[in-house]
Amino acid sequence: MTRSPSSAPRPRQGIGQDQFLTILSREEALVRFQAALFPRPVPGEERVLADALGLALAEDVTAPIDVPPFDRSNVDGFAVRSADIVSASEAGSVRLRLNGETIHCGTAPTEAVAAGTATTIATGGPMPRGADAVVMVEHTQPAGDDAIEIRRGASPGQFVSYAGSDIARSEMLLRAGTVIGSREIGMLAACGVASVKVACRPRVAVLSTGDELVQPGYPLPPAAVYDTNGAIVCAAIEENGGEAVFYGAIADDEAKLEAAMREALAASDMLILSGGTSKGAGDVSHRIIARLGKPGIIAHGVALKPGKPLCLAVCDGKPVVILPGFPTSAMFTFHDMIVPVLRRMAGLPPRAETHVATKVPLRVASELGRAEFVMVSLVEGAEGLIAYPTGKGSGAITSFAQADGFLRIDALADHLPAGTEAEVTLFTPHLRVPDLVIIGSHCTGLDLVLEPLARAGLSARSLAVGSLGGLSAARRGECDLAPIHLLDEKTQVYNGPFLTDGLELVPGWRRMQGIVYRPGDKRFEGRSVEDAIAAALADPSCLMVNRNQGAGTRILIDRLLGKARPDGYWNQPRSHNAVAAAVKQNRADWGVTIAPVAQAAGLGFIALAEEHYDFALVSARKDRLAVQAFLEALHSAECRDVLEKAGFRPA
Amino acid sequence: MTRSPSSAPRPRQGIGQDQFLTILSREEALVRFQAALFPRPVPGEERVLADALGLALAEDVTAPIDVPPFDRSNVDGFAVRSADIVSASEAGSVRLRLNGETIHCGTAPTEAVAAGTATTIATGGPMPRGADAVVMVEHTQPAGDDAIEIRRGASPGQFVSYAGSDIARSEMLLRAGTVIGSREIGMLAACGVASVKVACRPRVAVLSTGDELVQPGYPLPPAAVYDTNGAIVCAAIEENGGEAVFYGAIADDEAKLEAAMREALAASDMLILSGGTSKGAGDVSHRIIARLGKPGIIAHGVALKPGKPLCLAVCDGKPVVILPGFPTSAMFTFHDMIVPVLRRMAGLPPRAETHVATKVPLRVASELGRAEFVMVSLVEGAEGLIAYPTGKGSGAITSFAQADGFLRIDALADHLPAGTEAEVTLFTPHLRVPDLVIIGSHCTGLDLVLEPLARAGLSARSLAVGSLGGLSAARRGECDLAPIHLLDEKTQVYNGPFLTDGLELVPGWRRMQGIVYRPGDKRFEGRSVEDAIAAALADPSCLMVNRNQGAGTRILIDRLLGKARPDGYWNQPRSHNAVAAAVKQNRADWGVTIAPVAQAAGLGFIALAEEHYDFALVSARKDRLAVQAFLEALHSAECRDVLEKAGFRPA
């Protein structure tokens, strides 16, 4: 028995967990962290305009010149003295003698416009001395080679833009902290400013920790996982004004980790550690931080969900952060607690936040005693926005990556009742309501049907909440379609018996369900269903993998087993893919899944029965453009072909 | 008399303007332009994740693996068979023997969990064969070295995340066209995807045309202006998925321009010409485009304001565009007509647009017969958003750069009545309502008072609409403060007499007005006011510059002149800066402006009288945080110091 003292859990004698003794509220942790870091100067560097795009100004810029720099003609025509043509009319024209020069753009006038004269001037040309208005060329008639006739008067200043009327010299052009976009570049260029002092992007070192981490692109050994946090944290740093430097994943070795942390921190303005899901791994990093500089750890453990294990430290003026290991915990705490600090170091204003009013259709459980943030997907309901908790937990990257925003449950509430009206903070300022909303059971076949819609620019959102959840959403009018595969045990008919008023059945496709096993397993290979089940039940070392209560496949499995409850019966994952993975990885010897999944996993397959994957269509939304496009795609010959190739049988 | 036949305007015999004969509606122009360009393949290139940030996926990505790749423990604890601990309770614990191995993150289990046993497992560790739930370490007691006691049951699947529950193998991960942000990078990394095929950014050549253009950073000769459009178009290209290559400003020489256009187009996917405000300059570019490739010009002249002179062409498959010369015309047409094409070439989805409901407080004139887009600034009124037309015209860069968005006036309307409710399209998806709104007369002294607010993170918006416009806005409750400098002729008292119910006077500062002249001008230098005016009026070659009707300074000038109407009287610019520029540039010999402006321009100054620059405060908004911060700043000793140094006298 090999147990590492540092990184494996051990039973505890009491309930006290020393590393969380100093747990702080989210607000208190943020205040202490910022107090230890600010104020501090924001270092700046001079950049030419083209290289300053997207960066923040380090100092105020005032206008060095007037724009336009002179009184400018806005049309092609003639610079005149308005008093000269007061009497001009259709009945009686006024004749003005043309001065010898023509004022092009860029030509400095040399002659004054004396009474009774006019000077030819192009759009953008500077007004000559004496003139106070411009007459458009279209409103004049030539009168010989050196004169014009004018038949209408002009008010003083007509078609003239005065010096400084766009931007006045000395006025505040842009404030420090302004992010330079194309519009700011336009204002700077108009004043002749070629370079500006921008805030330097803080250099942020990112280190992943954990023996189990493999970098993307490399093969994945058993029990290993890809390093997700390293890449996502680096990208989020870049999105929030920092320059990320990734130091790779470091194994759980205290000496190696300390060397890497010291090297990374010395070369950077901030250090972020991610990974270290297990408490042991965290302990190592904390010990090292205590040696890196003063004051050290500011907060270890924050009353925040997701994100409780967050550790905030300041070592000799530089922030050092250990993010929680779970991706959604890591990203949420990064955005909530680290981005404000990073933006301030980068000379950026606080991130603008957009809030929207929503209704939460389901009861959401919460833990008493700490603020809980629930990631949600938004769809347009009949009476406004509906917020669906993404629901895969903080261990899932998609809980964060596919959420539109989050809502907060107060520390004093233990749940949010169904139907609660909640304010959602968006992750991006812009909410794109999808053209088509599908809520129910997901199937990879659905991706194939949605392909032509995506090509046509129609966006679809598919929320996987299972067949029954989809039906409820459809009844509440929260989606266009609910994909379902529910077998009515009484009638032995799929889907139809579950539809209520306002819903109609759109046949989808059939998915063959069957027993999967590892190729070569003689208990299954070449056998009939009955033989295979008999062989499995006869072998006490033969382990099954079941499905969750409520799954259509579970009904089939229970029928196969009768009263038998073989080993593995209580292993009840919630998806076809998890069943295939369990068998593939030798954690179980057989289970029931669908043919395309078995095929993708390279497993043996004994066909059992077809499952009907159909759609409950909300009748009231049938005429919507995207719904019609979906139905057209579903019924097209191309789509049927593609589905068949992937192992489905269109209805 | 030197007139260039190509670039100077000449009087016309008729009203026909041949280059606008083929004028198209905005919609028709866009349809024809896109039809000549699309469909076309979007070239792609493979990029590692870190270098793909901000780019668009060139093809769909499906998940190559399940995430998590195995059934994973979500806590530190013990992998068990839930059936073994069904009877566990506080009253009667269940004892499980510990298996020999410890499953760390990254450790592949080797022993099965048989009935009556448990295996130590860390957060993130893969579930061993036989186990179907995890018990948290906190809920166990050690029972000797190789066993634990458990006092509560576990449901099957407790603390387990099943393989594929986050991302299922074969499911659609990201669609082509998705812009890769940190969240997308997280999903790709979680699946082990290290590189993706992204759409290549189209290379867009930008050429400025015009003899008068000087690049920022170089000194500005008389009559020249800085090239604004070159820089802003390049930046806007980068913001919309393109790679801008700036070829500089080319003088108006047909041979040189053609050579430059051919070189730029050969090396790029698109060519954009900007500048060429005069019609003559445009003609040259059009002649060249006709020689560059088929089909050539698609639309020359679009029924669009601003933007009528826009020219759209396609030369051998590549878009060639001549933007209007005025900056706001150029930027508006770029965003409205060119961005959709650029984004499509870059494999990006159409830009998301946000609309807000607003009320327009003023009458807005419009031209019959073409769609007109009015740039607006938004402020929060008592009953919702108020849209103020930026009002400086399409020749001004600030009309575009300082606008929040635009509203559309139909081609069939000749104006928008005051109080119209209008939908505004925002330029950026996010609307930031300013903390403090100031509408009225602008003064550079105001920038100094706002400085401490900016440092404290309070945003202020100052709209320069003149004193009377500011008073009206304050009466309608559209601003917090209206800066005014209005002299009541009857009482000879500034500002106070103009205040109505609901407004209160906050004293600001005094600005010394005086006569400005070029240093060394013996008609003014060393003289008293009376002597100087007498000398100016005695010299018929001495030219004045006046101010507009309604300006406080105009009243002072009229008093100085009595009944005299010297040359230049009708030259009536609208700002202190324009007066100084006219005198500085020898377009006039004297005028009246304020001391700080005279000082900045390096002009001689004869003091006349102080102007009172005060604030009309909307009483109902007095208690707002930003208003209090403003009043505090205004009354601070630091602020008074700074104002005095800049030439103002605090009240």
PDB file of all heavy atoms in Angstrom, chain A residues 326 392-393 395-396, chain B residues 68 70-74 127 157-166:
ATOM      1  N   PHE A 326     -11.146  22.818 -10.480  1.00  0.00           N
ATOM      2  CA  PHE A 326     -12.230  22.548 -11.418  1.00  0.00           C
ATOM      3  C   PHE A 326     -12.381  23.707 -12.390  1.00  0.00           C
ATOM      4  O   PHE A 326     -12.357  24.868 -11.977  1.00  0.00           O
ATOM      5  CB  PHE A 326     -13.543  22.335 -10.664  1.00  0.00           C
ATOM      6  CG  PHE A 326     -13.691  20.965 -10.079  1.00  0.00           C
ATOM      7  CD1 PHE A 326     -14.585  20.726  -9.045  1.00  0.00           C
ATOM      8  CD2 PHE A 326     -12.958  19.886 -10.572  1.00  0.00           C
ATOM      9  CE1 PHE A 326     -14.743  19.460  -8.519  1.00  0.00           C
ATOM     10  CE2 PHE A 326     -13.106  18.615 -10.037  1.00  0.00           C
ATOM     11  CZ  PHE A 326     -13.999  18.402  -9.006  1.00  0.00           C
ATOM     12  N   LYS A 392     -24.127  21.234 -14.979  1.00  0.00           N
ATOM     13  CA  LYS A 392     -23.168  20.133 -15.010  1.00  0.00           C
ATOM     14  C   LYS A 392     -22.143  20.240 -13.889  1.00  0.00           C
ATOM     15  O   LYS A 392     -21.221  19.446 -13.810  1.00  0.00           O
ATOM     16  CB  LYS A 392     -22.475  20.084 -16.364  1.00  0.00           C
ATOM     17  CG  LYS A 392     -23.396  19.602 -17.477  1.00  0.00           C
ATOM     18  CD  LYS A 392     -22.649  19.525 -18.792  1.00  0.00           C
ATOM     19  CE  LYS A 392     -23.543  18.961 -19.891  1.00  0.00           C
ATOM     20  NZ  LYS A 392     -22.832  18.958 -21.178  1.00  0.00           N
ATOM     21  N   GLY A 393     -22.263  21.270 -13.069  1.00  0.00           N
ATOM     22  CA  GLY A 393     -21.375  21.377 -11.918  1.00  0.00           C
ATOM     23  C   GLY A 393     -20.068  22.060 -12.254  1.00  0.00           C
ATOM     24  O   GLY A 393     -19.715  22.262 -13.409  1.00  0.00           O
ATOM     25  N   GLY A 395     -17.113  21.057 -11.958  1.00  0.00           N
ATOM     26  CA  GLY A 395     -16.067  20.232 -12.546  1.00  0.00           C
ATOM     27  C   GLY A 395     -16.114  20.232 -14.052  1.00  0.00           C
ATOM     28  O   GLY A 395     -15.179  19.791 -14.715  1.00  0.00           O
ATOM     29  N   ALA A 396     -17.196  20.746 -14.635  1.00  0.00           N
ATOM     30  CA  ALA A 396     -17.371  20.691 -16.088  1.00  0.00           C
ATOM     31  C   ALA A 396     -16.941  22.009 -16.717  1.00  0.00           C
ATOM     32  O   ALA A 396     -17.321  23.078 -16.241  1.00  0.00           O
ATOM     33  CB  ALA A 396     -18.824  20.396 -16.428  1.00  0.00           C
TER      34      ALA A 396
ATOM     35  N   PRO B  68     -15.397  14.285 -18.821  1.00  0.00           N
ATOM     36  CA  PRO B  68     -14.105  13.660 -18.528  1.00  0.00           C
ATOM     37  C   PRO B  68     -13.950  12.350 -19.284  1.00  0.00           C
ATOM     38  O   PRO B  68     -14.948  11.745 -19.676  1.00  0.00           O
ATOM     39  CB  PRO B  68     -14.167  13.432 -17.015  1.00  0.00           C
ATOM     40  CG  PRO B  68     -15.610  13.439 -16.657  1.00  0.00           C
ATOM     41  CD  PRO B  68     -16.286  14.336 -17.650  1.00  0.00           C
ATOM     42  N   PHE B  70     -13.116   9.540 -18.201  1.00  0.00           N
ATOM     43  CA  PHE B  70     -13.462   8.373 -17.369  1.00  0.00           C
ATOM     44  C   PHE B  70     -14.417   8.864 -16.291  1.00  0.00           C
ATOM     45  O   PHE B  70     -14.597  10.065 -16.126  1.00  0.00           O
ATOM     46  CB  PHE B  70     -12.188   7.773 -16.741  1.00  0.00           C
ATOM     47  CG  PHE B  70     -11.239   8.814 -16.225  1.00  0.00           C
ATOM     48  CD1 PHE B  70     -11.486   9.474 -15.020  1.00  0.00           C
ATOM     49  CD2 PHE B  70     -10.102   9.181 -16.953  1.00  0.00           C
ATOM     50  CE1 PHE B  70     -10.625  10.456 -14.547  1.00  0.00           C
ATOM     51  CE2 PHE B  70      -9.237  10.169 -16.490  1.00  0.00           C
ATOM     52  CZ  PHE B  70      -9.497  10.811 -15.277  1.00  0.00           C
ATOM     53  N   ASP B  71     -15.043   7.923 -15.559  1.00  0.00           N
ATOM     54  CA  ASP B  71     -15.872   8.324 -14.423  1.00  0.00           C
ATOM     55  C   ASP B  71     -14.930   8.849 -13.351  1.00  0.00           C
ATOM     56  O   ASP B  71     -13.989   8.158 -12.955  1.00  0.00           O
ATOM     57  CB  ASP B  71     -16.671   7.135 -13.873  1.00  0.00           C
ATOM     58  CG  ASP B  71     -17.704   6.608 -14.882  1.00  0.00           C
ATOM     59  OD1 ASP B  71     -17.852   7.226 -15.950  1.00  0.00           O
ATOM     60  OD2 ASP B  71     -18.334   5.572 -14.588  1.00  0.00           O
ATOM     61  N   ARG B  72     -15.164  10.050 -12.885  1.00  0.00           N
ATOM     62  CA  ARG B  72     -14.201  10.778 -12.063  1.00  0.00           C
ATOM     63  C   ARG B  72     -14.775  11.097 -10.694  1.00  0.00           C
ATOM     64  O   ARG B  72     -15.947  11.456 -10.557  1.00  0.00           O
ATOM     65  CB  ARG B  72     -13.865  12.080 -12.786  1.00  0.00           C
ATOM     66  CG  ARG B  72     -12.880  12.962 -12.077  1.00  0.00           C
ATOM     67  CD  ARG B  72     -12.826  14.313 -12.756  1.00  0.00           C
ATOM     68  NE  ARG B  72     -14.109  14.994 -12.606  1.00  0.00           N
ATOM     69  CZ  ARG B  72     -14.472  16.070 -13.311  1.00  0.00           C
ATOM     70  NH1 ARG B  72     -13.676  16.553 -14.254  1.00  0.00           N
ATOM     71  NH2 ARG B  72     -15.633  16.642 -13.096  1.00  0.00           N
ATOM     72  N   SER B  73     -13.938  10.988  -9.672  1.00  0.00           N
ATOM     73  CA  SER B  73     -14.372  11.397  -8.331  1.00  0.00           C
ATOM     74  C   SER B  73     -14.302  12.914  -8.229  1.00  0.00           C
ATOM     75  O   SER B  73     -13.333  13.529  -8.654  1.00  0.00           O
ATOM     76  CB  SER B  73     -13.463  10.775  -7.270  1.00  0.00           C
ATOM     77  OG  SER B  73     -13.796  11.328  -6.007  1.00  0.00           O
ATOM     78  N   ASN B  74     -15.336  13.504  -7.639  1.00  0.00           N
ATOM     79  CA  ASN B  74     -15.364  14.963  -7.481  1.00  0.00           C
ATOM     80  C   ASN B  74     -14.891  15.437  -6.117  1.00  0.00           C
ATOM     81  O   ASN B  74     -14.886  16.634  -5.856  1.00  0.00           O
ATOM     82  CB  ASN B  74     -16.787  15.477  -7.694  1.00  0.00           C
ATOM     83  CG  ASN B  74     -17.143  15.462  -9.157  1.00  0.00           C
ATOM     84  OD1 ASN B  74     -16.253  15.557 -10.012  1.00  0.00           O
ATOM     85  ND2 ASN B  74     -18.420  15.330  -9.461  1.00  0.00           N
ATOM     86  N   MET B 127     -12.577   6.431 -11.225  1.00  0.00           N
ATOM     87  CA  MET B 127     -13.270   5.425 -10.413  1.00  0.00           C
ATOM     88  C   MET B 127     -12.739   4.039 -10.759  1.00  0.00           C
ATOM     89  O   MET B 127     -12.551   3.704 -11.922  1.00  0.00           O
ATOM     90  CB  MET B 127     -14.770   5.465 -10.693  1.00  0.00           C
ATOM     91  CG  MET B 127     -15.446   6.725 -10.184  1.00  0.00           C
ATOM     92  SD  MET B 127     -15.523   6.792  -8.374  1.00  0.00           S
ATOM     93  CE  MET B 127     -16.850   5.611  -8.074  1.00  0.00           C
ATOM     94  N   GLY B 157     -23.758   6.804  -7.769  1.00  0.00           N
ATOM     95  CA  GLY B 157     -23.290   7.957  -8.541  1.00  0.00           C
ATOM     96  C   GLY B 157     -22.898   9.155  -7.695  1.00  0.00           C
ATOM     97  O   GLY B 157     -22.454  10.176  -8.239  1.00  0.00           O
ATOM     98  N   GLN B 158     -23.038   9.040  -6.335  1.00  0.00           N
ATOM     99  CA  GLN B 158     -22.704  10.195  -5.484  1.00  0.00           C
ATOM    100  C   GLN B 158     -21.257  10.621  -5.683  1.00  0.00           C
ATOM    101  O   GLN B 158     -20.346   9.796  -5.629  1.00  0.00           O
ATOM    102  CB  GLN B 158     -22.959   9.832  -4.010  1.00  0.00           C
ATOM    103  CG  GLN B 158     -22.487  10.913  -3.043  1.00  0.00           C
ATOM    104  CD  GLN B 158     -22.750  10.547  -1.600  1.00  0.00           C
ATOM    105  OE1 GLN B 158     -23.877  10.658  -1.120  1.00  0.00           O
ATOM    106  NE2 GLN B 158     -21.710  10.086  -0.896  1.00  0.00           N
ATOM    107  N   PHE B 159     -21.067  11.925  -5.932  1.00  0.00           N
ATOM    108  CA  PHE B 159     -19.741  12.537  -6.120  1.00  0.00           C
ATOM    109  C   PHE B 159     -18.962  11.946  -7.297  1.00  0.00           C
ATOM    110  O   PHE B 159     -17.734  11.974  -7.311  1.00  0.00           O
ATOM    111  CB  PHE B 159     -18.899  12.487  -4.824  1.00  0.00           C
ATOM    112  CG  PHE B 159     -19.518  13.245  -3.684  1.00  0.00           C
ATOM    113  CD1 PHE B 159     -19.626  12.681  -2.420  1.00  0.00           C
ATOM    114  CD2 PHE B 159     -19.996  14.536  -3.883  1.00  0.00           C
ATOM    115  CE1 PHE B 159     -20.206  13.378  -1.368  1.00  0.00           C
ATOM    116  CE2 PHE B 159     -20.579  15.252  -2.830  1.00  0.00           C
ATOM    117  CZ  PHE B 159     -20.690  14.670  -1.571  1.00  0.00           C
ATOM    118  N   VAL B 160     -19.694  11.403  -8.259  1.00  0.00           N
ATOM    119  CA  VAL B 160     -19.044  10.879  -9.459  1.00  0.00           C
ATOM    120  C   VAL B 160     -19.477  11.722 -10.662  1.00  0.00           C
ATOM    121  O   VAL B 160     -20.658  12.014 -10.817  1.00  0.00           O
ATOM    122  CB  VAL B 160     -19.432   9.396  -9.712  1.00  0.00           C
ATOM    123  CG1 VAL B 160     -18.833   8.893 -11.029  1.00  0.00           C
ATOM    124  CG2 VAL B 160     -18.997   8.520  -8.548  1.00  0.00           C
ATOM    125  N   SER B 161     -18.529  12.151 -11.484  1.00  0.00           N
ATOM    126  CA  SER B 161     -18.878  12.735 -12.786  1.00  0.00           C
ATOM    127  C   SER B 161     -18.596  11.672 -13.832  1.00  0.00           C
ATOM    128  O   SER B 161     -17.458  11.223 -13.985  1.00  0.00           O
ATOM    129  CB  SER B 161     -18.014  13.970 -13.086  1.00  0.00           C
ATOM    130  OG  SER B 161     -18.512  15.094 -12.407  1.00  0.00           O
ATOM    131  N   TYR B 162     -19.633  11.301 -14.568  1.00  0.00           N
ATOM    132  CA  TYR B 162     -19.484  10.191 -15.513  1.00  0.00           C
ATOM    133  C   TYR B 162     -18.728  10.610 -16.769  1.00  0.00           C
ATOM    134  O   TYR B 162     -18.771  11.782 -17.175  1.00  0.00           O
ATOM    135  CB  TYR B 162     -20.861   9.639 -15.884  1.00  0.00           C
ATOM    136  CG  TYR B 162     -21.503   8.885 -14.742  1.00  0.00           C
ATOM    137  CD1 TYR B 162     -22.555   9.435 -14.035  1.00  0.00           C
ATOM    138  CD2 TYR B 162     -21.015   7.636 -14.364  1.00  0.00           C
ATOM    139  CE1 TYR B 162     -23.130   8.760 -12.972  1.00  0.00           C
ATOM    140  CE2 TYR B 162     -21.581   6.958 -13.294  1.00  0.00           C
ATOM    141  CZ  TYR B 162     -22.640   7.520 -12.597  1.00  0.00           C
ATOM    142  OH  TYR B 162     -23.188   6.840 -11.550  1.00  0.00           O
ATOM    143  N   ALA B 163     -18.057   9.636 -17.358  1.00  0.00           N
ATOM    144  CA  ALA B 163     -17.341   9.880 -18.619  1.00  0.00           C
ATOM    145  C   ALA B 163     -18.291  10.522 -19.627  1.00  0.00           C
ATOM    146  O   ALA B 163     -19.422  10.083 -19.791  1.00  0.00           O
ATOM    147  CB  ALA B 163     -16.798   8.562 -19.173  1.00  0.00           C
ATOM    148  N   GLY B 164     -17.833  11.571 -20.296  1.00  0.00           N
ATOM    149  CA  GLY B 164     -18.642  12.205 -21.338  1.00  0.00           C
ATOM    150  C   GLY B 164     -19.753  13.078 -20.826  1.00  0.00           C
ATOM    151  O   GLY B 164     -20.517  13.634 -21.626  1.00  0.00           O
ATOM    152  N   SER B 165     -19.868  13.232 -19.488  1.00  0.00           N
ATOM    153  CA  SER B 165     -20.981  14.039 -18.980  1.00  0.00           C
ATOM    154  C   SER B 165     -20.737  15.521 -19.233  1.00  0.00           C
ATOM    155  O   SER B 165     -21.665  16.312 -19.300  1.00  0.00           O
ATOM    156  CB  SER B 165     -21.192  13.786 -17.483  1.00  0.00           C
ATOM    157  OG  SER B 165     -20.012  14.095 -16.760  1.00  0.00           O
ATOM    158  N   ASP B 166     -19.489  15.920 -19.396  1.00  0.00           N
ATOM    159  CA  ASP B 166     -19.189  17.319 -19.684  1.00  0.00           C
ATOM    160  C   ASP B 166     -19.280  17.534 -21.202  1.00  0.00           C
ATOM    161  O   ASP B 166     -20.087  18.321 -21.691  1.00  0.00           O
ATOM    162  CB  ASP B 166     -17.785  17.638 -19.146  1.00  0.00           C
ATOM    163  CG  ASP B 166     -17.440  19.104 -19.179  1.00  0.00           C
ATOM    164  OD1 ASP B 166     -18.243  19.900 -19.699  1.00  0.00           O
ATOM    165  OD2 ASP B 166     -16.349  19.464 -18.697  1.00  0.00           O
TER     166      ASP B 166
END
